[in-house]
Amino acid sequence: MLKAIRHLTYASMFVLVLFVFVSFSITAGHHILIALPGVYFLARAIQKKNFSMSASMWSLLALIIVSALSILVNDGPIKNIFNLKYYLLGILAIFAYRDQIENALTEKKIKILMNIFFIATAFASLVGVYALFTGFNPVRMKPAAHPTRASGLYGMCMSYAYGMGFVLISSIGILANSAQVKKYLSPKLHWVSFLSNLLGFILSAARGSILGLIGATPLAFLHKGKKWIIGIYAIGLLGLAGIIGFTSFGHKVFLERLTSDSLRWSQFQASFRMFQEKPILGWGYKTTSDHIPAIKQKYDIGGDYEKNFTGHAHNNFLEHLASTGLLGFLALLAFHFFWAFEMFKRKDLIGQITIPFIGYLFISGQVQYTFGDGENTFLIMFIYGLSQAIPRIKNELLS
């Protein structure tokens, strides 16, 4: 039985790395496969008295509890509680990953997971680029999801753009530590994947994700010293200024989307007003979009277009401030803080790769609700789970 459960853990990991950018519906199989191993190895850890949870895990658990309470006290849709499965299974998966790494995850299995992930993401990106220029997605057998922006194999370009930012910042972290990773990931394959994903990412034309990537990239070089960090920031900012100032693409993406700017600002204002009306537990997890139009009308926020727009807060923290109140906001903030602190303390390869990932999550999360987007959350929780499960190491991905 134990062997079969360990096979389920690896199968869940395989499903996620293969399909997270290819098919959202099939990626849901990751949750189905990891549920039993997660519960089993949690019970086993308690039985063997080696149960342990980090501060970030406790913070995430607090966020789950507060989010559930926010729904119950507001008589909100009970179905929204099931959306918390991403975080709950994310915690449970850690116990299964710990066992997998200690007892079953061989070098060959690591190579399979890493190489398949970067092949699958490159495939999704290139199909999205093809769909952008031809107007037809041959894999989805549908017209391109967006007429002017690459969307990969997703139905929404924003999910692809912000999700691909997580992939690229992970790739940059790997490139900054390439000597330690090359035994697990083909350098040539990784470069092809990186460039393919970068092309799709740029053509997705999402300003927040681009700024998030620029802001987080220097964090991949913390271990190389201040000169590297300052130099990379300078290159990034100069490059961005050049693209905006001298290309029509950059000018259009960063300076001509006034409607998008006003819309986001109206979402921010309305979300904060929601918090002011219900400051402790908010209006109910995942219900912000249901209430924002009425709040805008009440406080005269924005013009006619903004007032009639229904959607989330476009900000991870304001979304939780509005929907789960101060308690949910503090839990989410604590999750970010403790996860970053835990990775900084490691001072090893996993920490070096994960810190810029967290940086991108924080920066890009100021203008998009990535922590509640199912496609993005699958990947966030997977990387988080691995960062909590892999033991502290020296000079190797796994020892």
Side-chain angles (χ1 to χ4, degrees), residues 2-63:
L2 180 59
K3 188 176 181 180
I5 293 177
R6 284 174 176 157
H7 284 321
L8 284 178
T9 301
Y10 186 74
S12 74
M13 298 166 79
F14 185 87
V15 166
L16 191 142
V17 300
L18 178 57
F19 292 109
V20 68
F21 277 87
V22 175
S23 172
F24 178 68
S25 57
I26 298 178
T27 307
H30 163 71
H31 277 168
I32 297 170
L33 292 168
I34 200 61
L36 176 59
V39 172
Y40 177 85
F41 287 111
L42 168 62
R44 202 161 184 254
I46 294 172
Q47 183 184 25
K48 290 180 173 290
K49 297 182 179 180
N50 62 356
F51 168 84
S52 65
M53 282 179 51
S54 66
S56 64
M57 291 172 69
W58 284 114
S59 299
L60 186 57
L61 181 60
L63 180 62

Side-chain angles (χ1 to χ4, degrees), residues 136-398:
F136 182 76
N137 190 311
V139 175
R140 290 168 57 87
M141 296 300 290
K142 293 180 179 179
H146 196 285
T148 61
R149 300 169 69 175
S151 305
L153 287 170
Y154 286 167
M156 293 185 64
C157 66
M158 296 294 278
S159 294
Y160 168 77
Y162 283 86
M164 190 49 63
F166 287 113
V167 177
L168 288 171
I169 197 62
S170 299
S171 279
I172 291 168
I174 289 171
L175 290 171
N177 299 275
S178 56
Q180 298 164 251
V181 185
K182 63 182 180 180
K183 65 185 287 188
Y184 301 102
L185 176 63
S186 165
K188 290 182 179 179
L189 184 151
H190 185 224
W191 269 109
V192 170
S193 176
F194 176 73
L195 294 174
S196 300
N197 289 332
L198 183 62
L199 176 63
F201 175 76
I202 292 171
L203 292 176
S204 68
R207 293 169 299 171
S209 58
I210 293 172
L211 292 174
L213 188 64
I214 292 173
T217 292
L219 299 177
F221 299 87
L222 284 176
H223 61 294
K224 294 185 179 292
K226 293 181 181 178
K227 290 183 179 179
W228 275 82
I229 297 171
I230 295 171
I232 292 169
Y233 265 126
I235 292 170
L237 292 174
L238 287 172
L240 179 63
I243 291 171
I244 295 173
F246 298 102
T247 69
S248 58
F249 173 82
H251 191 275
K252 181 178 180 180
V253 169
F254 286 93
L255 300 180
E256 295 183 9
R257 292 182 182 167
L258 299 180
T259 300
S260 178
D261 292 340
S262 63
L263 180 60
R264 272 190 169 82
W265 178 237
S266 71
Q267 298 297 101
F268 294 170
Q269 293 178 79
S271 299
F272 191 74
R273 287 291 190 179
M274 288 177 65
F275 159 68
Q276 289 180 313
E277 290 202 0
K278 294 188 177 184
I280 306 302
L281 283 170
W283 292 68
Y285 176 69
K286 283 281 187 179
T287 64
T288 303
S289 59
D290 299 333
H291 302 291
I292 270 186
I295 291 292
K296 287 180 180 178
Q297 292 289 343
K298 181 177 179 179
Y299 292 99
D300 192 26
I301 297 172
D304 291 339
Y305 174 71
E306 289 82 9
K307 282 184 171 67
N308 292 318
F309 181 83
T310 299
H312 53 67
H314 283 273
N315 178 296
N316 285 336
F317 298 96
L318 286 174
E319 174 70 24
H320 281 271
L321 195 64
S323 63
T324 62
L326 182 63
L327 295 180
F329 169 80
L330 291 175
L332 180 63
L333 192 63
F335 169 73
H336 282 73
F337 173 79
F338 285 119
W339 187 15
F341 183 66
E342 290 155 7
M343 294 302 103
F344 184 77
K345 283 199 308 179
R346 289 184 66 127
K347 299 188 183 301
D348 66 352
L349 178 60
I350 300 303
Q352 290 164 12
I353 292 175
T354 308
I355 286 172
F357 186 96
I358 301 168
Y360 174 79
L361 171 64
F362 181 83
I363 298 169
S364 64
Q366 303 308 308
V367 291
Q368 181 67 5
Y369 183 32
T370 55
F371 206 62
D373 185 321
E375 288 92 339
N376 293 170
T377 309
F378 269 125
L379 184 58
I380 293 168
M381 286 294 99
F382 183 60
I383 298 300
Y384 172 67
L386 292 178
S387 76
Q388 295 294 302
I390 297 174
R392 191 170 179 176
I393 52 180
K394 285 186 178 182
N395 301 324
E396 296 287 347
L397 184 62
L398 288 174

